[in-house]
Amino acid sequence: MTAPRVRFAPAPTGFLHVGSARTALFNWLYARHHGGEMVLRIEDTDAALKTQQYVDAIVEPLRWLGLDWDEGPHFQSERRQAHQAAVERLLSRGAAYFCDLTRGEIKQRCEQAGLPLGYHGWSRDRGVADGPGVVVRFRCPDQGETVVDDAVRGRVSFPNESLEDFVIRRGDGSPTFHLANAMDDHDMAISHVIRGEDLLNTTPRVLLLWQALGYGAPPRYAHLPLLVNAKRQKLSKRRDDVSLDDYRRRGCLPEAMVNHLALLGWGPPDAAEIRPLDEIVELFDLDAVKPSPAFFDPARLDHINSVYIKALTPEQFADRALPHVCGIAAADASGTSAAAETVDAACEDGTALTAAATTREAHQQRAHEVLLKLAGDLQQRVAALDEVWQWIDWILSDEVAYDDKAWQKSVVKGRAAAEVLGAVEARLAEDDFTSAERLEAVVMGVGDELSERLGVRVRSQAPVRAAVSGRAAGLPLWEPLKLLGKDEVLARIRQARSRL
RNA sequence: GCCCCCAUCGUCCAGCGGCCUAGGACGCCGGCCUUUCACGCCGGAAACACGGGUUCGAAUCCCGUUGGGGGUGCCA
């Protein structure tokens, strides 16, 4: 087999859809596995969507995923001349004709003829002349069938009588997707067209055009299973979370997203599902792609993401989590995260999150240090990077937000909580806060002593946690106490005691 | 309406005629570990949509039914 040449051809819609990302990935995997090439082509037939912003919305997420291409981006709009010339050729050959019927007129004719709503070659013999608003339609054969030889689905045949004379040039002179698609795939020497199943029904049209244009053997088609939501409907922009960039902002790792996407419609021959991309490249092939729709399950993505997060070194974790803790990753999000709002607000109006970090830079430096020190404990607790903030906000901020339930449970109703806090404050005043282990020994020691004295189990960790963090649960306390520092810890315990 | 696709645990995959009393993973439930929350470990419930064929033998092949989805645009 000669090296394949595939293309990823998204329409510029302002963002990259996870379904499109999956299509891009499968094209890329196929090309890389077989040592072929991938072309990026932006299908901007429709409007003037070739702005940098629209192109970036496609290119950047692809780069984020780690997918590259060997050629492009090409733009369909740049091939306008060639497309128009082809329309002329089809016209002069009688393979296409002009039509000036409006939607209403078509409907009317159907009713008069007692035919089901549709285009029944109405203008084939009307001899319509070209002019403003006049479209060009392709003359489909009335008999026979058009067969799509699909790498995923096998032989799919369409009765030609079910095909209507479709528009290949709009009233404004622009070519439609079918025409541009056939021509561009031919002219760019595409060998394999790998795309979503929603396009399967349009394939006979492209094939008919391919034939009429005298192009010879068509490319091999492969229609990938649709990505669906929990209700098993095609993922849609309106009701589902489909923007790849949103996942990035929420702290999904690109390698996790790629791995997750690869598992939708495909599975490795062995049982190892979570594995590096180069191994997936090695194992991937089209004949192993399943034809049935796949649910894009966010819970599964979370799991895969959590596995990748756990595998990060502390340094990698700190570097990658930092933007999510400092509001950078979510800066351009429509719904900014709590972390972003808190940090941005504090930094922008000049107020400090902590007395020590009075600038954004200082805050970042401090946050990085905290992330690095707590990496292991954080990594096993988050499924996405944007969850990190809620575990450490109390360390990075001077303000303690006391959770009512936690306060009641751990301090008010906590056994001997007042004594615990009193004793801990006294003992910690003697400590130099250089050892997390010693801090643990001190706090736990207070609990043990009280337990012995009172004859009942006294848990000393809970009230201390509530005092310094305002919460009932969280990270192992000792390293955070050290990071918070002696003055701050003692101040918080004092503050808690005064609340009693 | 018409055309097309799809059909194994709730979900994603394995199974491509006998290895299947159907395997793994997510999720769920239970237990262990633990002076928080987690991680980890152990265990459990959970599926071949239905009906006909073909075959010595079918989750695997064929047909039909049912169910789900997609398309049916001067969107792609």
Side-chain angles (χ1 to χ4, degrees), chain A residues 72-87:
Chain A
H74 293 305
F75 295 88
Q76 205 153 67
S77 58
E78 290 174 351
R79 294 178 35 80
R80 186 73 168 264
Q81 302 290 314
H83 296 148
Q84 275 163 346
V87 170

Side-chain angles (χ1 to χ4, degrees), chain A residues 167-481:
Chain A
V167 172
I168 57 175
R169 191 206 70 183
R170 300 190 184 89
D172 65 2
S174 63
T176 61
F177 147 80
H178 308 284
L179 198 255
N181 213 252
M183 293 189 64
D184 295 351
D185 284 343
H186 172 266
D187 293 353
M188 293 176 192
I190 300 304
S191 67
H192 291 73
V193 174
I194 303 167
R195 35 136 66 156
E197 195 206 320
D198 49 342
L199 260 12
L200 180 56
N201 289 302
T202 73
T203 310
R205 296 177 176 189
V206 177
L207 248 23
L208 251 16
L209 241 16
W210 189 277
Q211 218 168 46
L213 260 8
Y215 284 162
R220 189 82 203 281
Y221 283 89
H223 287 91
L224 307 175
L226 241 34
L227 254 35
V228 299
N229 61 24
K231 290 173 170 163
R232 311 221 57 90
Q233 295 163 314
K234 180 167 96 160
L235 246 33
S236 98
K237 185 178 185 170
R238 286 208 58 173
R239 54 177 180 241
D240 307 304
D241 286 336
V242 296
S243 166
L244 198 67
D245 201 50
D246 285 346
Y247 286 95
R248 193 211 89 225
R249 291 196 199 112
R250 284 184 226 149
C252 177
L253 262 30
E255 52 269 50
M257 176 59 82
V258 162
N259 202 147
H260 178 241
L261 253 18
L263 263 12
L264 263 23
W266 177 84
D270 54 31
E273 296 178 321
I274 300 180
R275 68 201 310 166
L277 228 204
D278 56 343
E279 283 184 29
I280 294 176
V281 168
E282 189 72 27
L283 296 165
F284 183 86
D285 214 342
L286 277 180
D287 54 22
V289 173
K290 275 188 31 143
S292 48
F295 172 38
F296 184 92
D297 188 356
R300 194 153 189 256
L301 209 210
D302 273 348
H303 171 254
I304 294 174
N305 203 37
S306 73
V307 172
Y308 276 93
I309 287 174
K310 286 184 185 72
L312 260 22
T313 65
E315 289 75 18
Q316 290 170 330
F317 174 76
D319 289 347
R320 298 178 74 161
L322 188 64
H324 295 273
V325 167
C326 290
I328 298 163
D332 54 348
S334 41
T336 48
S337 71
E341 281 169 15
T342 306
V343 178
D344 282 346
C347 291
E348 269 167 33
D349 66 16
T351 23
L353 275 175
T354 67
T358 52
T359 62
R360 180 178 267 275
E361 287 66 34
H363 174 73
Q364 279 186 31
Q365 204 169 14
R366 165 74 172 156
H368 193 271
E369 182 201 354
V370 169
L371 287 170
L372 196 56
K373 289 274 170 52
L374 301 177
D377 288 333
L378 286 167
Q379 282 169 278
Q380 65 180 231
R381 262 160 264 256
V382 300
L385 263 18
D386 71 343
E387 292 170 19
V388 171
W389 170 251
Q390 60 193 254
W391 291 92
I392 58 171
D393 57 346
W394 59 278
I395 304 173
L396 292 174
S397 163
D398 280 340
E399 288 299 307
V400 180
Y402 290 101
D403 175 71
D404 237 26
K405 278 170 75 178
W407 179 261
Q408 287 295 324
K409 185 183 159 208
S410 302
V411 183
V412 178
K413 290 179 189 155
R415 184 145 47 214
E419 289 91 324
V420 168
L421 290 179
V424 168
E425 187 189 337
R427 303 275 178 87
L428 252 26
E430 309 297 313
D431 199 275
D432 63 1
F433 278 66
T434 55
S435 160
E437 289 74 25
R438 201 165 55 235
L439 291 171
E440 175 176 11
V442 168
V443 174
M444 299 309 261
V446 167
D448 291 343
E449 284 167 31
L450 280 169
S451 296
E452 199 168 326
R453 184 142 61 83
L454 302 175
V456 284
R457 192 62 190 260
V458 173
R459 296 172 193 275
S460 55
Q461 188 177 164
V464 174
R465 181 184 296 283
V468 298
S469 76
R471 311 212 181 120
L475 297 172
L477 252 192
W478 326 118
E479 188 65 36
L481 286 185

